C-alpha cells in the first residue's frame, strides 16, 4: 500500500516524520492500561509501505 492509501484508510496519523518517512497511529491502552500501543509504519522513497510493527510504550 502507499502512504496516501493508508491515510485514506486510517486518517491522518498522530505523528508523521519525513526523514525517514514514518507514521505513528495511537491504538489505545494495552493490557491493564499501563502501556500505550502504537502502530508504526515506515515507507520507502517511493511512498510504498516498507515495514510495520506495533509497540507498547
Amino acid at each position: 500500500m502507499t502512504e496516501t492509501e493508508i491515510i485514506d484508510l486510517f486518517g491522518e496519523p498522530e505523528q508523521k516524520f519525513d526523514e525517514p518517512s514514518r507514521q505513528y497511529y495511537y491504538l489505545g491502552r494495552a493490557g491493564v492500561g499501563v502501556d500505550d500501543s502504537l502502530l508504526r509504519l515506515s515507507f520507502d522513497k517511493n511512498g510504498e509501505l516498507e515495514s510495520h510493527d506495533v509497540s507498547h510504550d
Side-chain angles (χ1 to χ4, degrees):
M1 292 183 84
T2 66
E3 188 171 1
T4 302
E5 290 172 326
I6 289 173
I7 290 174
D8 288 344
L9 184 63
F10 292 126
E12 289 295 324
E14 272 56 85
Q15 293 182 334
K16 186 175 179 178
F17 301 97
D18 292 328
E19 292 295 329
S21 183
R22 294 191 177 179
Q23 295 179 2
Y24 294 83
Y25 287 92
Y26 177 71
L27 300 176
R29 298 277 175 186
V32 292
V34 191
D35 297 324
D36 291 328
S37 294
L38 296 171
L39 172 62
R40 296 188 297 199
L41 306 173
S42 297
F43 299 89
D44 65 17
K45 63 181 178 176
N46 298 317
E48 295 285 330
L49 183 63
E50 187 171 61
S51 66
H52 66 282
D53 70 328
V54 174
S55 68
H56 304 286
D57 297 329

